[in-house]
Amino acid sequence: MPLVIQKFGGSSVADTHHIFNVAKKITDVYKSGNDVVAVVSAQGDTTDKLQQLMEEITDEASKREKDVLLSSGEQVSSSLLAMAVQKLGFPAVSLTGWQAGFLTESNHTDARIIKIDTKRIENELKNKNIVIVAGFQGIDENGDITTLGRGGSDTSAVALAAALNADICKIYTDVDGVYTADPRSVVSAKKWSSLSYDTMFEMAHFGAQVLNERSIETAKKFGVTVEVLSSLSDNLSGTVITKETKAITNTISGISLKNHLAKVTVSARDNTEKHKNLITSEMDKTGIKIDSSMKPVGKQNKDIFNFIVEENHINDFLAVTKKIGIENQNIQISYEKNKSEISVINISESLNLNTASIIFETLSEMNIDVEMVACDEKRVSVVVASECANSAVNAIHSKLFEEDMII
Ligand code: ADP
Ligand code: ASP
Ligand code: MG
């Protein structure tokens, strides 16, 4: 019997009405003769709320406890969804990540999946049950609960599709596909009917949260076709992410935006390169994500270097630099929050210099300062003050996509 994997994000199961809407989508597919495994995220902004609860208790929670807490949101939504499916008159069973066989690394809060033991799910399917799996979570070899990083239920779904050999993994969300920019902030954004794994990976990596970047890596590795669709409308066609895409007339695939970033400035008197390498390798060891690819615009001072760090990792960053005794070596560290990174994704053979000059011209016409820049074969990224980011994205989008694109 054909097997369909469906994944529903937080907004798709935000309340009882939405849960029944999703239950109907699942049972429609089941009724037409398919086996169905649905993967579900926590309801609405539950995961953020759980995180806030944690911060009311402590800002030094261990990552192990954080995972126990954050994974609980998906346990609630998966059981409620199974109850709704049963209420509609169909057999359903909910499974936590560990019951569903997800074995992960022990790297709490950002664990990678090692393997999925699908026996339990297969048995449930044999018994004609609709299986509802809690996304975003697994268990490590010590039996401890782990989570897969924010937005990780997409990866749970794609990995399950690979393990169960499903032909397609349908990711239902609150928009009806992948657009040339976030359709919530760029009204003129256009929907792609298909995109390649590589292009989608770059868009996700640089901030298009519609799909988690690790889910694309997994899809590419195992050749899983992914379709992004709306759970809220009946528009049946979404965006298909696969190896092959039809030719497109515009090589720029989209504009991604990352907010809540901080620009860290490190001033060293000497041995600048050595200090930069030391900081980078220490951050790597502790798993703090830093971006050292962005360069300041204008005249460069060889004794100063910069990193871009997510705002909520600034304290961890400073704690690590303190631990390695940076301040005893005549090095000063300062940071500015409220920065945003705008990236134009344009996978090409050569540097995207033409795209870069269009971005600079557009922002200069708007008197928006470009503080940092990075340009390579995959993207041109600029860092600007967050208050200007939305208008900047809109202006760049209309410059790059205004002509009649055939998608
Ligand atoms: P879910 O809760 O279903 O996982 P997410 O909030 O993680 O949903 O992702 C969906 C959101 O991604 C959309 O609401 C949209 O605002 C945002 N988004 C950002 N960039 C894009 C893009 N290029 N195309 C479509 N949606 C995008
Ligand atoms: N609930 C988790 C999060 O908010 C996982 C997910 O939504 O994919 O990050
Ligand atoms: Mg998501």
Side-chain angles (χ1 to χ4, degrees):
M1 188 167 289
L3 168 68
V4 178
I5 310 287
Q6 297 176 302
K7 181 259 165 176
F8 298 95
S11 45
S12 305
V13 291
D15 54 29
T16 306
H17 170 77
H18 284 86
I19 287 182
F20 273 109
N21 169 55
V22 164
K24 168 110 184 19
K25 284 210 180 298
I26 293 174
T27 53
D28 282 350
V29 175
Y30 181 82
K31 271 193 294 193
S32 40
N34 300 288
D35 282 340
V36 185
V37 177
V39 176
V40 71
S41 299
Q43 290 185 277
D45 56 2
T46 301
T47 313
D48 291 334
K49 292 224 172 93
L50 290 168
Q51 173 127 1
Q52 279 161 20
L53 282 179
M54 174 186 84
E55 283 158 11
E56 282 173 28
I57 303 282
T58 173
D59 52 13
E60 290 170 348
S62 73
K63 289 185 170 180
R64 181 194 180 280
E65 294 314 318
K66 189 172 173 187
D67 274 352
V68 175
L69 178 71
L70 295 197
S71 62
S72 66
E74 272 70 11
Q75 200 163 327
V76 173
S77 54
S78 55
S79 54
L80 290 175
L81 183 55
M83 291 171 201
V85 170
Q86 290 165 359
K87 178 96 181 160
L88 295 184
F90 295 86
V93 60
S94 66
L95 298 175
T96 60
W98 41 101
Q99 288 174 316
F102 281 77
L103 179 72
T104 75
E105 292 171 346
S106 300
N107 182 21
H108 286 286
T109 74
D110 197 22
R112 280 181 178 267
I113 299 167
I114 297 172
K115 66 168 189 190
I116 307 175
D117 178 351
T118 52
K119 265 196 259 59
R120 174 73 190 268
I121 295 183
E122 280 168 277
N123 278 339
E124 298 295 348
L125 292 175
K126 254 186 226 139
N127 293 335
K128 291 281 137 233
N129 274 320
I130 292 171
V131 183
I132 318 274
V133 177
F136 176 55
Q137 54 182 258
I139 199 166
D140 71 2
E141 59 181 5
N142 306 315
D144 283 327
I145 295 173
T146 53
T147 61
L148 309 180
R150 295 303 304 269
S153 328
D154 295 335
T155 311
S156 308
V158 174
L160 254 187
L164 292 166
N165 221 352
D167 296 325
I168 190 157
C169 178
K170 295 186 173 232
I171 307 266
Y172 288 87
T173 181
D174 56 359
V175 288
D176 63 356
V178 181
Y179 283 69
T180 49
D182 186 342
R184 298 192 180 282
S185 38
V186 179
V187 198
S188 57
K190 295 183 171 71
K191 189 169 101 179
W192 290 108
S193 54
S194 62
L195 280 171
S196 70
Y197 292 127
D198 290 340
T199 309
M200 186 64 235
F201 177 84
E202 295 303 326
M203 286 180 70
H205 179 72
F206 287 103
Q209 78 177 76
V210 60
L211 277 179
N212 177 282
E213 65 180 83
R214 242 179 230 172
S215 70
I216 314 298
E217 260 173 11
T218 310
K220 182 177 177 185
K221 185 167 171 196
F222 296 100
V224 176
T225 300
V226 174
E227 186 171 11
V228 178
L229 323 130
S230 167
S231 68
L232 308 170
S233 82
D234 287 327
N235 185 353
L236 290 179
S237 61
T239 303
V240 175
I241 323 289
T242 181
K243 201 168 154 201
E244 305 295 332
T245 57
K246 64 178 179 181
I248 48 177
T249 54
N250 192 325
T251 53
I252 297 173
S253 53
I255 305 180
S256 295
L257 175 66
K258 278 189 197 171
N259 288 319
H260 309 296
L261 300 177
K263 177 170 95 176
V264 179
T265 303
V266 182
S267 319
R269 287 247 180 90
D270 43 33
N271 284 327
T272 317
E273 223 21 65
K274 188 183 122 205
H275 295 306
K276 185 174 177 182
N277 293 340
L278 177 65
I279 294 177
T280 311
S281 71
E282 284 301 315
M283 295 303 157
D284 222 33
K285 275 189 221 155
T286 23
I288 300 168
K289 288 182 188 137
I290 57 171
D291 179 357
S292 54
S293 68
M294 307 290 305
K295 303 286 173 249
V297 174
K299 198 164 169 280
Q300 314 232 341
N301 181 334
K302 71 176 177 37
D303 296 331
I304 292 182
F305 53 95
N306 298 88
F307 295 113
I308 295 293
V309 180
E310 282 176 28
E311 273 178 8
N312 58 5
H313 289 154
I314 268 289
N315 288 342
D316 300 332
F317 181 93
L318 297 176
V320 171
T321 52
K322 194 166 172 200
K323 199 179 103 202
I324 57 178
I326 286 289
E327 70 273 27
N328 303 330
Q329 302 177 38
N330 277 336
I331 293 174
Q332 273 154 11
I333 300 186
S334 59
Y335 64 88
E336 291 167 70
K337 289 185 170 182
N338 291 319
K339 303 296 172 195
S340 295
E341 180 180 334
I342 300 169
S343 299
V344 174
I345 312 300
N346 178 12
I347 296 184
S348 66
E349 304 271 292
S350 52
L351 290 183
N352 294 299
L353 293 175
N354 188 33
T355 310
S357 69
I358 295 174
I359 297 173
F360 272 87
E361 255 169 50
T362 311
L363 297 184
S364 141
E365 277 161 21
M366 299 171 78
N367 290 323
I368 294 177
D369 276 345
V370 176
E371 299 186 24
M372 301 186 80
V373 62
C375 179
D376 58 35
E377 303 76 33
K378 293 176 172 168
R379 50 91 192 227
V380 181
S381 302
V382 291
V383 171
V384 300
S386 292
E387 68 210 28
C388 315
N390 263 339
S391 45
V393 170
N394 270 282
I396 296 169
H397 189 275
S398 47
K399 273 275 163 61
L400 295 174
F401 290 98
E402 68 199 6
E403 301 308 326
D404 301 332
M405 274 173 75
I406 302 164
I407 297 191

